[in-house]
Amino acid sequence: ENYHDKAIEITIFDQLPVAKDERIKVTLLKDTTPATKENVEDKEGVLAWQYQYTPKQKREIDFGYSVQYPKDLTVPGF
């Protein structure tokens, strides 16, 4: 949300997990707001949403992903 009395550009960054094992599949959920930039500054998985906001404008960005892997594979953090 732009709390200013003038228009400003706002950039939101987030990171999608990057699998180093080909048996692990990471996919964005279908209702995720498309990023305006991917792999920001050549950093794999870093996404950005960059928009011009008018005064008092509010915007919601949806971001979600799924991680799939074989049942017999141990994945740290899952």
Side-chain angles (χ1 to χ4, degrees):
E1 184 170 353
N2 177 5
Y3 293 104
H4 300 278
D5 292 327
K6 63 178 183 172
I8 61 170
E9 185 174 274
I10 298 174
T11 304
I12 305 297
F13 296 95
D14 210 330
Q15 185 172 0
L16 185 66
V18 177
K20 300 299 181 190
D21 186 318
E22 64 188 30
R23 297 173 293 173
I24 301 171
K25 304 292 182 220
V26 179
T27 54
L28 284 171
L29 297 181
K30 64 180 176 182
D31 57 348
T32 292
T33 303
T36 57
K37 295 181 183 179
E38 296 181 5
N39 298 324
V40 177
E41 295 180 4
D42 294 324
K43 295 177 183 169
E44 192 174 8
V46 176
L47 305 174
W49 293 265
Q50 186 173 34
Y51 301 104
Q52 190 73 23
Y53 287 71
T54 58
K56 312 300 182 206
Q57 182 182 3
K58 183 176 185 178
R59 182 185 303 253
E60 190 170 302
I61 296 171
D62 294 315
F63 176 62
Y65 58 87
S66 69
V67 179
Q68 296 176 314
Y69 55 91
K71 189 184 288 190
D72 62 335
L73 181 65
T74 301
V75 178
F78 288 93

